[in-house]
Amino acid sequence: MESSVSHDLFKDIYLTYWDTLFGIANKKIGYAPDAMDIVQDTFTYVWQQFPTLQLDTPTAKPFLITCLYYRIFNFLRSRGLNEKHLLHFRTYLENEESPDPHFNAGEMEAELEAINIAIMAELDRMPERMKQIFVMSRYENKSIEEIAHLYAIAPKTVKNQLSDAMRRLKDFAGSYPATALLPVILLFLED
């Protein structure tokens, strides 16, 4: 692809989808400056990979959203996912053998992205306080006592909310199409 054509196509994709990606990131993160940074990081990655991607404006959206969700997940993880969860996932990945020899990293990324979107959607269906308590505990690494103090509620109430949230996610996992990765992701979210 010619450099000027590539530049023009990237610019068109950027202008077409920046607002959409920012809206998604801002909704998930809740802080516009961080959301902007995540969107910019997403487009920086896409620009670096652009010569090999074979994207065009109408078909770029799913790819961009996938890239964005990985950056959101990594951002949230960097802000509090427990080390033990990372260790479990790393061990799983090291020991996991794909049953399909044609299964590639791109397919795994797509599957992880679909699972992440589904989990985020399930969190969005929870009562607002339950969702906030769960996010503070699992993504922001706040203790039960800190959350109880923030909401002026008993630590037992926080524990109950977390237990209910995990039960909902596990019920959701039971109804999700079969995949080896969903239980591992839910393992991350357990305490």
Side-chain angles (χ1 to χ4, degrees), residues 18 25 35 56-57 74 82 94 96 115 117 121 137-138 144 157 159 169 186 190:
W18 195 94
D56 60 18
T57 304
N74 288 335
N82 295 331
E94 288 170 357
E96 180 63 17
I115 293 168
I117 290 169
S137 173
R138 298 313 194 258
I144 289 173
T157 303
K159 288 179 186 178
L169 287 172
L186 288 176
E190 286 192 28

Side-chain angles (χ1 to χ4, degrees), residues 47-116:
W47 175 250
Q48 291 168 343
Q49 305 299 318
F50 203 71
T52 61
L53 290 178
Q54 298 181 345
L55 288 179
D56 60 18
T57 304
T59 62
K61 187 176 180 180
F63 177 78
L64 293 172
I65 290 174
T66 298
C67 291
L68 176 71
Y69 270 103
Y70 274 104
R71 275 154 188 76
I72 290 170
F73 183 75
N74 288 335
F75 174 82
L76 294 173
R77 180 178 59 192
S78 72
R79 297 192 67 195
L81 190 64
N82 295 331
E83 269 308 306
K84 70 179 182 178
H85 298 138
L86 293 174
L87 179 61
H88 286 303
F89 189 61
R90 188 176 303 120
T91 301
Y92 170 80
L93 289 178
E94 288 170 357
N95 295 327
E96 180 63 17
E97 291 185 31
S98 174
D100 181 356
H102 301 292
F103 190 77
N104 62 38
E107 291 169 340
M108 181 177 278
E109 281 188 29
E111 184 176 343
L112 282 170
E113 180 56 26
I115 293 168
N116 189 43

